[in-house]
Amino acid sequence: MLKRGLTIVAALCGLVVACENSYAQSERKKERNAAPQAVTPPLVLSQQEQQLSESYFLEGMKFFVLEEYNKALDRFQRAYAISPNNAAVNYKLAETSLLLGNVRGALPFAKAALELEPKNPYYHLLLAQIYTNQQEYDDAIKVYARLTQELPHTEQYLFNLTDLYLAKNRLDDALRTLGQIEGKYGLIEEISFKKQQIYLKQNNLAKALQEGENLISSKPEEVRYLLAQAEILAANKKIGEAINMAQKALAVAPDNAYGRLMLADLLQQQGKTTEADAQLELAFGNPSLDIDSKVKILVDYIRRLPNDKVAAQAIKLAELTTKAHPREAKAHAVAGDVFVNAGRKLPARDSYVKAVALDPGHYKIWQQIVLLDGEMNQNDSLVVHSERALEFFPNQPMFWFYNGTAYLINKNYTKAAKSLEYGRRLAGNNRDLQLQFNLQLGDAYHSLEQYALSDQAYEAALSIEPNNPHALNNYSYFLSVRGQNLPKAKALASTLVAQYPDNPTYLDTYAWVLYKMKDYQEAKRLLEKAVAVSSDATIIEHYGDVLYQLGQRDLALKQWVRANQVGGASEGISKKIKDKRLYE
């Protein structure tokens, strides 16, 4: 007999493959009896065969518990080869195959197990699970229906049956099954809500509302039931009734922030803006309303900015948000967004600073901070904030640009050049960034009297954008101040004025180049045009210098005095006026 047992084990793989092939063929033929042959007369096993089968089964269970499913499957298959009509063996083959992802292979064994032991609820459940996994909902429904009708104490599986009915849109069957559950367990919140949703799908608003009333009657103090009823009323355009229901909810729970939000929205729909805003403010002042809900509402306000009426309410809500959530970076960040879109740059910048103090890892917020510092000309703050941003984002060229620019404005030219050079290397092939870095470096190196580097930077900028006004103006002016390469300076300034013929600063630059080239008449013509539209002290002083060179010394003196009165002229202006003569 032992030899026979070994022969059976050796033939096991062929038997299993044959079973699976038979199943596959029957599937193609649409035959439904492809399960292992549970209907055949049971095999009569010898004691030794019985013991061997049990041994394989127990060994398979050991591997199953250890979650070594491949080994478990092998042992169960060996047991099956000896005793194919054993329900437990079929069940474990199906369950193990399912765990290994072989749903198709699990199905025939699950069906066989149930046919062998139709009173075992676990066999029903496994087969139903397999059908559900394959989205064969009709077959799964049949299994659950049989289970709950034929076996005692299986009412809990009516919930599964309900879900399957809903998946197949069999709404009346779902309602009937939910009624069975209520008959067994009484009023259950989950069941009532499901019934409501089904009634609403059936356009039976009256019954849906009645379900809500049943829940409210069962627990009048439960605010969720009142608010859920208000939502259904509002969704069905019964705004007045929804408001009354929301007010009932708030009478029960005055601190319910979501109830306040709902009431605010309903009042807004009736055009009662003042009352709606009051409810909204109560909600925003409540820390129990989560920050994400507040941010979502504030983003909607931001989309409607700039608008004075909207801005006033948005700012109020933003301030309530930061007060309710002082340790939430999101609260301060969205407040910054509100302020910046309302045109209030300083509180916007300060809000963003609070946000990064709580959570410094947000590049876009740091970007907003340095942009606002630059727009407000707060260079000391720009230095501090750009340095701080670089601690977290050292490879972002934009922060090096603002850092270098701030130092340049503050006349710390060495630090400016260092930051700008580092940032320019990080800018790589970004032509726009390279342009901006080169423009600032041209100015910084000129101030450091590193003229060759300054000229190289301007040349690099002009190679990217030949008509850039910053490069044309500063490069030509600095060449004229140094008295170097004046023909090039003239060409640059001429190109600039051709583009901007009425800009007084550019007219002054071109005039000063001509002055250095001793073309005083043309310089005078340009400066007369410039001083007619500008009260800049440098331009006025230059006009006086040209007049002096043309022998019009009294007129020159008047322009110097005027430049001195305006403020911002050269350091030597007082001496010019005192001595009534030009010093160069």
Side-chain angles (χ1 to χ4, degrees):
M1 295 302 293
L2 181 59
K3 185 176 179 181
R4 180 185 172 192
L6 291 172
T7 303
I8 292 172
V9 171
L12 175 62
C13 293
L15 286 171
V16 173
V17 170
C19 176
E20 290 183 350
N21 286 341
S22 172
Y23 175 68
Q25 291 166 6
S26 66
E27 278 293 284
R28 287 193 293 270
K29 295 175 182 177
K30 302 298 181 182
E31 295 177 359
R32 308 301 296 175
N33 297 318
Q37 297 300 313
V39 295
T40 59
L43 294 174
V44 178
L45 302 179
S46 68
Q47 184 178 357
Q48 196 169 4
E49 288 174 322
Q50 181 69 32
Q51 288 175 348
L52 183 59
S53 176
E54 290 177 359
S55 174
Y56 284 139
F57 184 80
L58 290 173
E59 193 174 358
M61 287 300 299
K62 180 189 74 173
F63 287 123
F64 187 90
V65 170
L66 294 172
E67 298 183 4
E68 297 184 33
Y69 298 123
N70 283 311
K71 290 182 180 180
L73 183 64
D74 174 73
R75 300 315 187 270
F76 293 142
Q77 286 171 334
R78 296 185 188 198
Y80 175 84
I82 300 170
S83 53
N85 292 335
N86 186 302
V89 171
N90 278 276
Y91 173 76
K92 294 310 292 185
L93 274 170
E95 187 177 23
T96 309
S97 296
L98 189 61
L99 288 168
L100 288 169
N102 186 5
V103 181
R104 185 182 176 199
L107 180 60
F109 295 108
K111 290 168 69 176
L114 184 57
E115 289 302 314
L116 288 163
E117 284 191 24
K119 298 297 183 183
N120 191 316
Y122 295 105
Y123 297 176
H124 286 83
L125 294 173
L126 180 61
L127 182 58
Q129 180 186 350
I130 292 170
Y131 280 135
T132 303
N133 287 354
Q134 295 187 106
Q135 297 185 349
E136 296 178 8
Y137 298 131
D138 288 328
D139 288 325
I141 285 170
K142 290 176 184 177
V143 177
Y144 276 119
R146 178 181 172 188
L147 171 65
T148 54
Q149 289 168 14
E150 297 181 3
L151 274 65
H153 311 300
T154 56
E155 296 86 355
Q156 65 268 36
Y157 302 117
L158 291 169
F159 290 94
N160 305 73
L161 185 55
T162 301
D163 290 337
L164 288 168
Y165 280 137
L166 291 173
K168 293 294 293 182
N169 205 34
R170 292 169 58 174
L171 303 183
D172 289 333
D173 288 327
L175 284 170
R176 176 178 49 78
T177 307
L178 290 171
Q180 288 179 258
I181 296 172
E182 283 187 327
K184 175 66 178 178
Y185 298 107
L187 188 69
I188 300 174
E189 174 185 306
E190 178 189 351
I191 300 304
S192 293
F193 283 138
K194 278 192 175 181
K195 288 173 71 177
Q196 274 190 319
Q197 294 307 309
I198 293 171
Y199 285 134
L200 290 171
K201 282 186 178 181
Q202 294 177 326
N203 294 317
N204 194 335
L205 180 60
K207 284 193 174 182
L209 292 173
Q210 185 57 54
E211 284 295 327
E213 289 296 339
N214 293 342
L215 277 174
I216 293 168
S217 298
S218 69
K219 284 187 180 179
E221 74 285 357
E222 181 53 75
V223 69
R224 289 186 302 113
Y225 299 163
L226 292 159
L227 292 176
Q229 194 79 334
E231 282 186 2
I232 292 175
L233 289 164
N236 287 276
K237 309 299 181 186
K238 295 180 177 293
I239 305 302
E241 294 176 53
I243 288 174
N244 292 335
M245 192 62 66
Q247 289 172 334
K248 285 182 183 179
L250 291 169
V252 172
D255 291 333
N256 189 290
Y258 292 96
R260 297 288 174 193
L261 277 185
M262 183 186 294
L263 184 55
D265 182 59
L266 293 168
L267 290 167
Q268 190 68 51
Q269 289 183 50
Q270 285 196 333
K272 299 177 180 178
T273 303
T274 302
E275 295 176 46
D277 287 347
Q279 293 298 323
L280 202 54
E281 289 165 23
L282 287 171
F284 269 68
N286 191 334
S288 70
L289 180 61
D290 66 280
I291 184 65
D292 289 333
S293 295
K294 293 176 181 177
V295 168
K296 184 178 179 182
I297 293 169
L298 285 170
V299 167
D300 183 59
Y301 272 91
I302 290 168
R303 292 193 184 104
R304 290 183 277 157
L305 293 173
N307 178 302
D308 290 342
K309 289 184 179 179
V310 173
Q313 180 67 0
I315 289 169
K316 186 179 291 186
L317 295 177
E319 290 172 341
L320 286 168
T321 301
T322 56
K323 185 176 180 180
H325 307 277
R327 304 298 301 168
E328 279 278 4
K330 283 183 185 179
H332 297 288
V334 76
D337 291 344
V338 169
F339 283 123
V340 79
N341 282 280
R344 296 182 59 180
K345 294 180 181 180
L346 182 58
R349 193 278 311 275
D350 292 345
S351 293
Y352 288 137
V353 169
K354 290 176 183 177
V356 293
L358 293 166
D359 187 358
H362 290 278
Y363 171 81
K364 289 186 177 180
I365 299 178
W366 281 112
Q367 186 180 42
Q368 284 287 77
I369 290 170
V370 297
L371 285 171
L372 288 167
D373 281 337
E375 289 175 8
M376 294 186 294
N377 295 317
Q378 295 198 358
N379 296 315
D380 292 339
S381 294
L382 183 54
V383 168
V384 172
H385 293 145
S386 59
E387 294 277 7
R388 183 70 173 149
L390 285 167
E391 292 178 20
F392 299 99
F393 302 98
N395 295 321
Q396 288 296 331
M398 194 201 78
F399 294 133
W400 288 106
F401 176 80
Y402 277 98
N403 182 255
T405 299
Y407 279 125
L408 180 63
I409 294 170
N410 285 349
K411 299 185 178 180
N412 190 332
Y413 303 120
T414 301
K415 283 191 174 182
K418 184 177 179 181
S419 292
L420 292 166
E421 278 287 6
Y422 193 82
R424 181 167 65 172
R425 288 196 293 273
L426 290 175
N429 295 325
N430 188 319
R431 290 172 62 83
D432 290 336
L433 279 176
Q434 286 287 348
L435 172 65
Q436 297 305 318
F437 276 111
N438 281 306
L439 292 173
Q440 302 296 64
L441 280 167
D443 295 354
Y445 282 130
H446 173 81
S447 298
L448 288 169
E449 298 183 3
Q450 296 182 33
Y451 301 131
L453 291 175
S454 176
D455 292 354
Q456 287 173 17
Y458 288 130
E459 290 288 353
L462 290 170
S463 71
I464 297 170
E465 189 178 303
N467 291 322
N468 183 272
H470 180 141
L472 292 171
N473 182 71
N474 287 21
Y475 192 13
S476 60
Y477 184 72
F478 291 151
L479 285 173
S480 70
V481 169
R482 285 152 41 195
Q484 295 177 347
N485 205 348
L486 293 177
K488 183 176 183 65
K490 181 179 179 181
L492 294 170
S494 175
T495 300
L496 179 65
V497 169
Q499 294 179 72
Y500 305 96
D502 299 315
N503 185 296
T505 299
Y506 300 159
L507 289 167
D508 174 66
T509 295
Y510 191 19
W512 198 246
V513 172
L514 295 172
Y515 176 89
K516 287 287 187 172
M517 300 179 79
K518 303 188 184 306
D519 187 351
Y520 301 125
Q521 286 293 347
E522 183 61 15
K524 177 187 175 186
R525 185 186 70 79
L526 294 171
L527 285 167
E528 283 176 342
K529 189 175 180 181
V531 296
V533 294
S534 173
S535 57
D536 181 271
T538 299
I539 297 174
I540 297 169
E541 184 178 359
H542 284 171
Y543 182 44
D545 293 350
V546 169
L547 291 172
Y548 187 91
Q549 294 288 11
L550 289 170
Q552 300 177 24
R553 299 189 175 185
D554 290 339
L555 291 176
L557 181 61
K558 288 181 180 179
Q559 297 304 319
W560 291 338
V561 170
R562 182 184 168 204
N564 191 44
Q565 290 172 341
V566 169
S570 69
E571 294 180 0
I573 191 71
S574 297
K575 186 171 178 61
K576 287 183 186 179
I577 295 170
K578 180 182 177 183
D579 297 342
K580 299 180 181 180
R581 61 168 295 180
L582 177 64
Y583 292 96
E584 290 188 305

